[in-house]
Amino acid sequence: MITVSDLGLQYSGQPLFSHVDLQFIKGNCYGIIGANGAGKSTFLKILSGDLEPTSGEVSILPKTRMSVLKQDQNAYDAYNVMDTVIMGNQRLYDIGKEKDALYAKEEMTEEDGIKACLLEEEFAELGGWEAESDASRILQGLGLGTELHQNDMATLDARLKVKVLLAQALFGAPDILLLDEPTNNLDINAVNWLEDFLLDFEGTVIVVSHDRHFLNTICTHIVDIDYNKIKLYVGNYDFWYDASQLMQNLMKNQSKKNEEKAQELKEFISRFSANKSKSKQATARRKLLEKITLEEIPASSRRYPWVAFSPDREVGKDILFVTGVSKTIDGVKVLDKVSFIVGHGDKIAFVGDNENAHTALFKILTGELEPDEGTVKWGQTATFSYFPKDNTEFFQDCEDNLVEWLRQWSADPHEAYLRGFLGRMLFSGDEVYKPVKVLSGGEKVRCMLSRMMLSGANVLLLDQPTNHLDLESIAALNNGLEAVKCNVLFSSHDHQLVQTVANRVFDFTSEGKLIDRKMTYDEYLERENQG
């Protein structure tokens, strides 16, 4: 258990949060949420002991082992994969190396023998004899085959290093797990495996994530950083979000009778109490939810951007025809004889591990790349707007402020119109005069979405649009793509976005072949699991 008492943190005399009193209990999973800059990762660093608070304290029961997901991908380049994972239990790793060094001596003294016996005893108690098999099981669950387990970390690409560091955090049955964005760069199979691992985990899990589906699956509680406070609520992310919206509505209508409020709350909680069939925690969560009172429902200060796409005209009968497209990049075939036709109402999600195929196809569709073979034919009435995975060229060395930058793509050049539009994307006051080159990653994404909304296109192409966005912006984008009456082709790691927007799924194999299924994402995953 972790106890947080009267915790506070200040930067330059300004409070990030203050007077925080919380308890994190064994067997529960806590999702930490908050707007960008609210202090989510900072709070994790305080819990882990990597950062000292300005006031208050964090106390942990004696003999409690905490494991933290490391963020430095190159920190273990001097070690191989297996050793890196076992270092998740540093004491176990050190004992193993120490006893190996004793046994490597040409002649062992009596003192060495006694020391070796003591080390062997502790090694066994810590699960040392099962360490490599346990580490291998975790690595394979995350998608790293046994052929990589003895490879040097320095030889792995960034995506594989992330998985090894996650395996390191999960290794050795820690009492407490602190995970900052653990699903970043994970494929869907690895995310599903991680969800199952955490649902079975008997210790305490505290996680920061922008993946709503992930938070909904694993969390028993939500820790919300808002109003410079940190508060704890029962339930998963969807429960917190809908409860927050309910409270906002009730606050706007104070004339409602208490009985009506109570009935609405009762019906709301009942709807959520059994909405998680997969989690073994569902029964305990239901009991907790049933104890909630109106006063315990959160009210949030969150601001949600406005994302809405309005095509200038409806697309005609012919939209997009792709025939036999192949492409090789740096000696690797990423697309192999890909063919498909986009029909009316199609909203197509590109899924799978072959993200190079996704980006290459988007660039071929927009004319940025030429295919090695095959053809792309757009219908005469089709107009597209493209959100690239890498938006650097739109902002690099650009001296324009936000108003000037956005004016390039607006039919209405007046500043009042552009300011109003930027305001809906959460740029207000003098913020609109900031140079675009100094914007954060999330702010640049909102600018790119603004550009798309001004285009009036009837086909939207988006390559990983949720990268760098906070939960509020992802939810707004999700709503906008669900509502738009035009064709959408997109790639995303956000399960909920893919499931709620797409009615067709493109999965590209590692060889560049296309698997085309006219179904929702969850239906596709269920079919793949059965097959």
Side-chain angles (χ1 to χ4, degrees):
M1 182 172 73
I2 304 177
T3 301
V4 177
S5 305
D6 197 27
L7 191 74
L9 184 69
Q10 292 188 354
Y11 280 129
S12 302
Q14 297 297 316
L16 191 61
F17 39 76
S18 59
H19 302 298
V20 179
D21 295 289
L22 298 172
Q23 281 191 335
F24 298 96
I25 309 298
K26 179 181 178 181
N28 289 335
C29 179
Y30 302 86
I32 301 178
I33 64 171
N36 283 349
K40 300 182 293 293
S41 296
T42 300
F43 183 57
L44 273 191
K45 289 179 180 177
I46 292 175
L47 294 180
S48 69
D50 290 337
L51 182 65
E52 283 292 323
T54 306
S55 60
E57 63 178 5
V58 175
S59 57
I60 302 174
L61 292 175
K63 298 183 179 180
T64 299
R65 191 169 76 83
M66 177 184 289
S67 187
V68 181
L69 175 58
K70 304 290 195 306
Q71 300 299 318
D72 185 355
Q73 296 176 6
N74 301 318
Y76 295 89
D77 280 358
Y79 303 91
N80 68 28
V81 170
M82 182 59 67
D83 282 352
T84 300
V85 175
I86 294 175
M87 276 187 240
N89 187 338
Q90 190 65 48
R91 177 58 183 163
L92 173 61
Y93 177 81
D94 290 343
I95 290 172
K97 292 301 180 184
E98 189 175 354
K99 69 185 187 67
D100 287 347
L102 286 174
Y103 293 141
K105 287 185 174 182
E106 292 185 6
E107 293 185 14
M108 289 182 64
T109 66
E110 183 178 350
E111 184 179 347
D112 289 336
I114 294 172
K115 179 67 173 176
C117 288
L118 293 174
L119 290 173
E120 288 286 8
E121 184 178 351
E122 188 176 359
F123 187 76
E125 288 177 355
L126 293 173
W129 297 114
E130 299 81 34
E132 290 202 4
S133 60
D134 289 346
S136 178
R137 176 178 57 83
I138 296 172
L139 287 166
Q140 290 181 72
L142 292 171
L144 278 84
T146 54
E147 70 279 3
L148 297 175
H149 295 183
Q150 300 303 323
N151 285 18
D152 291 337
M153 287 287 287
T155 66
L156 303 184
D157 64 34
R159 293 188 71 191
L160 291 180
K161 285 183 177 181
V162 167
K163 290 186 175 184
V164 176
L165 293 180
L166 179 55
Q168 179 192 75
L170 303 179
F171 173 76
D175 301 294
I176 299 169
L177 265 174
L178 301 185
L179 305 174
D180 193 352
E181 296 291 358
T183 62
N184 278 2
N185 294 312
L186 292 190
D187 56 85
I188 186 62
N189 291 329
V191 173
N192 287 338
W193 182 90
L194 178 60
E195 289 173 351
D196 288 337
F197 181 96
L198 295 177
L199 288 172
D200 290 334
F201 185 71
E202 296 180 354
T204 304
V205 181
I206 305 175
V207 59
V208 172
S209 178
H210 286 109
D211 188 325
R212 296 164 295 164
H213 183 272
F214 181 68
L215 292 175
N216 284 329
T217 300
I218 67 169
C219 288
T220 59
H221 298 73
I222 291 295
V223 179
D224 182 31
I225 305 180
D226 202 2
Y227 297 113
N228 298 115
K229 302 288 185 182
I230 303 180
K231 293 185 178 181
L232 180 66
Y233 300 101
V234 174
N236 60 14
Y237 176 76
D238 274 354
F239 182 86
W240 173 88
Y241 175 80
D242 286 358
S244 176
Q245 298 301 303
L246 170 64
M247 177 52 72
Q248 297 288 8
N249 292 334
L250 293 179
M251 289 171 66
K252 290 176 184 177
N253 188 4
Q254 292 292 342
S255 62
K256 261 194 163 187
K257 294 180 181 179
N258 287 336
E259 293 81 3
E260 292 175 348
K261 293 181 183 180
Q263 181 60 30
E264 188 170 353
L265 177 62
K266 182 179 179 181
E267 292 173 358
F268 171 74
I269 291 172
S270 176
R271 194 166 70 248
F272 265 88
S273 290
N275 75 334
K276 187 65 195 77
S277 58
K278 179 180 177 183
S279 174
K280 63 174 62 177
Q281 302 156 333
T283 301
R285 183 184 295 162
R286 182 171 62 251
K287 291 178 180 178
L288 290 168
L289 292 175
E290 289 170 350
K291 297 177 182 178
I292 289 179
T293 64
L294 186 62
E295 290 72 25
E296 292 172 307
I297 293 293
S300 175
S301 67
R302 298 289 200 284
R303 297 172 62 215
Y304 290 81
W306 175 80
V307 178
F309 303 95
S310 300
D312 288 339
R313 63 174 177 175
E314 187 176 350
V315 72
K317 179 181 177 181
D318 295 334
I319 302 171
L320 175 62
F321 301 85
V322 175
T323 307
V325 165
S326 296
K327 186 65 180 179
T328 298
I329 299 176
D330 296 330
V332 178
K333 178 165 277 192
V334 294
L335 297 170
D336 186 10
K337 300 188 185 304
V338 170
S339 299
F340 60 89
I341 298 172
V342 174
H344 272 273
D346 279 346
K347 293 185 177 181
I348 304 170
F350 295 3
V351 304
D353 291 344
N354 193 353
E355 294 185 15
N356 290 331
H358 305 168
T359 299
L361 182 56
F362 278 126
K363 289 184 175 182
I364 289 170
L365 296 181
T366 60
E368 288 188 25
L369 273 182
E370 287 292 327
D372 297 335
E373 58 179 311
T375 61
V376 171
K377 182 181 179 182
W378 286 95
Q380 288 188 346
T381 60
T383 58
F384 66 80
S385 184
Y386 174 44
F387 181 103
K389 189 174 184 178
D390 182 0
N391 59 39
T392 303
E393 66 178 86
F394 288 87
F395 302 97
Q396 195 171 32
D397 300 323
C398 180
E399 299 296 331
D400 290 346
N401 62 39
L402 271 70
V403 174
E404 294 165 341
W405 185 89
L406 193 59
R407 185 177 281 128
Q408 302 172 73
W409 294 285
S410 177
D412 186 338
H414 295 95
E415 182 169 323
Y417 171 75
L418 296 171
R419 284 185 66 104
F421 199 89
L422 288 166
R424 290 192 291 268
M425 295 303 286
L426 306 185
F427 297 108
S428 58
D430 290 341
E431 281 186 307
V432 301
Y433 299 120
K434 286 196 303 187
V436 294
K437 66 181 181 181
V438 304
L439 297 178
S440 69
E443 288 173 329
K444 288 177 180 177
V445 170
R446 280 188 271 133
C447 283
M448 294 297 292
L449 292 174
S450 298
R451 171 180 170 270
M452 292 189 78
M453 287 189 282
L454 287 169
S455 70
N458 51 31
V459 181
L460 304 178
L461 308 175
L462 303 100
D463 192 1
Q464 297 294 342
T466 60
N467 288 356
H468 306 294
L469 289 183
D470 57 21
L471 282 166
E472 292 73 41
S473 298
I474 292 172
L477 174 62
N478 199 150
N479 293 337
L481 292 179
E482 274 192 84
V484 67
K485 303 298 183 184
C486 74
N487 291 103
V488 183
L489 286 75
F490 69 104
S491 66
S492 176
H493 292 298
D494 190 286
H495 185 123
Q496 190 165 332
L497 178 71
V498 177
Q499 167 57 22
T500 55
V501 173
N503 56 23
R504 189 173 174 186
V505 174
F506 283 3
D507 190 350
F508 294 86
T509 68
S510 57
E511 296 80 22
K513 298 287 187 180
L514 171 63
I515 302 171
D516 179 3
R517 296 285 186 262
K518 294 186 177 182
M519 56 183 64
T520 67
Y521 188 42
D522 282 350
E523 289 170 343
Y524 176 71
L525 291 176
E526 184 177 355
R527 175 173 177 153
E528 290 299 294
N529 289 334
Q530 290 175 348

